[in-house]
C-alpha cells in the first residue's frame, strides 16, 4: 500500500516550519545554534527520506555502504540520503546485498 503523494508534501512543510521556528529564535545560551543545525539537518533528512519513499522505488534486498536504504529514482540512478538530507548517488560497487540477521 502506497501513501498518497500529497502526504509527503504536508510532512515536508510541517517539518520545515518546525525547523524554521527553532532557527528563528535568537539564542543567548551557548550551543543553541549547533542544536538548531542538528534539528534542521535531521528534519531535512527525514523529509527527503519520506519523499523518496513515496516518489522513488526502494531497492529491495540491497543496502548502501553503511547499511543505508538504497532508493532508485526515475532515471534509474541509485542513491542514499545522508545525515544532512542530501541525495548521494552510488556506484554499482557501493551497493551490496542486505545482511541477514
Amino acid at each position: 500500500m502506497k501513501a498518497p503523494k500529497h502526504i509527503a508534501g504536508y510532512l515536508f512543510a510541517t517539518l520545515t516550519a518546525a525547523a524554521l521556528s527553532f532557527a528563528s529564535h535568537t539564542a543567548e545560551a551557548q550551543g543553541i545554534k549547533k542544536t538548531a543545525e542538528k534539528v534542521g539537518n535531521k528534519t531535512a533528512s527525514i523529509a527527503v527520506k519520506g519523499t523518496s519513499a513515496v516518489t522513488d522505488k526502494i531497492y529491495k534486498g540491497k543496502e548502501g555502504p553503511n547499511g543505508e536504504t538504497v532508493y532508485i529514482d526515475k532515471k534509474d540512478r541509485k542513491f542514499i540520503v545522508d545525515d544532512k538530507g542530501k541525495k548521494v548517488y552510488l556506484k554499482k560497487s557501493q551497493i551490496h546485498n542486505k545482511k541477514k540477521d
Side-chain angles (χ1 to χ4, degrees), residues 9-62:
Y10 291 142
L11 176 66
F12 180 75
T14 303
L15 294 174
T16 303
L20 290 175
S21 70
F22 284 124
S24 66
H25 296 287
T26 56
E28 296 175 7
Q30 234 178 1
I32 297 294
K33 181 178 179 183
K34 193 178 253 187
T35 303
E37 287 177 2
K38 286 181 183 179
V39 169
N41 289 339
K42 186 69 173 175
T43 301
S45 178
I46 290 171
V48 172
K49 286 178 182 177
T51 303
S52 295
V54 172
T55 58
D56 299 319
K57 291 188 264 179
I58 294 177
Y59 201 171
K60 298 198 185 289
K62 302 290 184 177

